[in-house]
């Protein structure tokens, strides 16, 4: 039996959108939303994502004092944040967080950002981007 390198086709096309200064995810810039709709329409996919999310989450943080630490004004704990992150990681392979800083440049809050609302900024000629844009419904 021979081993062959399989060329993996991208799931969606990424292109710069100069109007919004973002990278489009898919032709209509709706790949994450379409993926969520497909997953929610399939009980098998929902169960698979739920199982994978539980695996990522595990038993939460082993340090009880750390897991119960309040991280924002919504009174969310690190454990609840981990739970939200594990769902996005299971579905999209990534997650997004927003950090607020005080005047001493210390982190004062950590907030969960739904991954499907995030778009990376347009890529320059060197392949770099310098911003991240958020919008509830791209």
């Amino acid at each position: 039996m021979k081993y062959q390198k399989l060329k993996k086709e991208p799931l969606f096309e990424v292109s710069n959108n100069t109007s919004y200064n973002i990278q489009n995810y898919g032709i209509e810039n709706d790949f994450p939303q379409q993926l969520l709709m497909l997953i929610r329409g399939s009980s098998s996919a929902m169960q698979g994502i739920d199982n994978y999310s539980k695996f990522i989450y595990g038993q939460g943080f082993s340090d009880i004092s750390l897991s119960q630490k309040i991280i924002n004004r919504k009174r969310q704990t690190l454990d609840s944040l981990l739970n939200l992150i594990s769902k996005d990681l299971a579905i999209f392979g990534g997650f997004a967080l927003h950090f607020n800083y005080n005047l001493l440049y210390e982190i004062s809050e950590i907030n969960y950002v739904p991954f499907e609302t995030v778009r990376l900024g347009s890529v320059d000629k060197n392949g770099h981007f310098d911003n991240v844009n958020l919008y509830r419904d791209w």
Side-chain angles (χ1 to χ4, degrees):
M1 177 185 265
K2 290 183 178 181
Y3 169 79
Q4 291 180 336
K5 277 191 172 180
L6 299 174
K7 183 177 181 184
K8 188 175 179 183
E9 293 294 323
L11 294 175
F12 57 94
E13 181 181 316
V14 177
S15 61
N16 281 343
N17 180 329
T18 54
S19 300
Y20 295 114
N21 194 28
I22 61 167
Q23 295 178 44
N24 278 350
Y25 295 160
I27 296 169
E28 303 281 327
N29 192 28
D30 63 350
F31 179 77
Q33 288 78 6
Q34 291 293 327
L35 181 62
L36 278 176
M37 206 165 47
L38 288 171
I39 290 170
R40 289 180 181 144
S42 167
S43 59
S44 299
M46 285 289 290
Q47 186 62 48
I49 292 295
D50 189 48
N51 288 342
Y52 187 38
S53 174
K54 287 178 184 175
F55 174 77
I56 294 169
Y57 178 77
Q59 294 179 352
F61 291 97
S62 59
D63 183 354
I64 303 293
S65 62
L66 182 65
S67 70
Q68 298 306 315
K69 181 146 178 78
I70 305 292
I71 57 168
N72 57 33
R73 39 189 120 161
K74 295 178 195 171
R75 313 256 335 132
Q76 289 179 318
T77 63
L78 271 177
D79 236 13
S80 64
L81 180 69
L82 179 61
N83 188 32
L84 292 168
I85 287 171
S86 67
K87 290 176 183 168
D88 276 358
L89 196 56
I91 295 170
F92 301 110
F95 62 90
L97 298 174
H98 181 266
F99 293 84
N100 285 333
Y101 291 86
N102 62 20
L103 293 174
L104 300 173
Y105 296 105
E106 299 168 333
I107 296 173
S108 59
E109 271 191 346
I110 304 172
N111 290 292
Y112 165 76
V113 177
F115 194 74
E116 67 271 13
T117 65
V118 176
R119 296 297 185 273
L120 301 178
S122 293
V123 177
D124 64 14
K125 63 182 177 185
N126 298 322
H128 301 106
F129 63 92
D130 60 1
N131 64 332
V132 175
N133 296 296
L134 303 175
Y135 187 68
R136 289 182 187 204
D137 187 19
W138 287 103

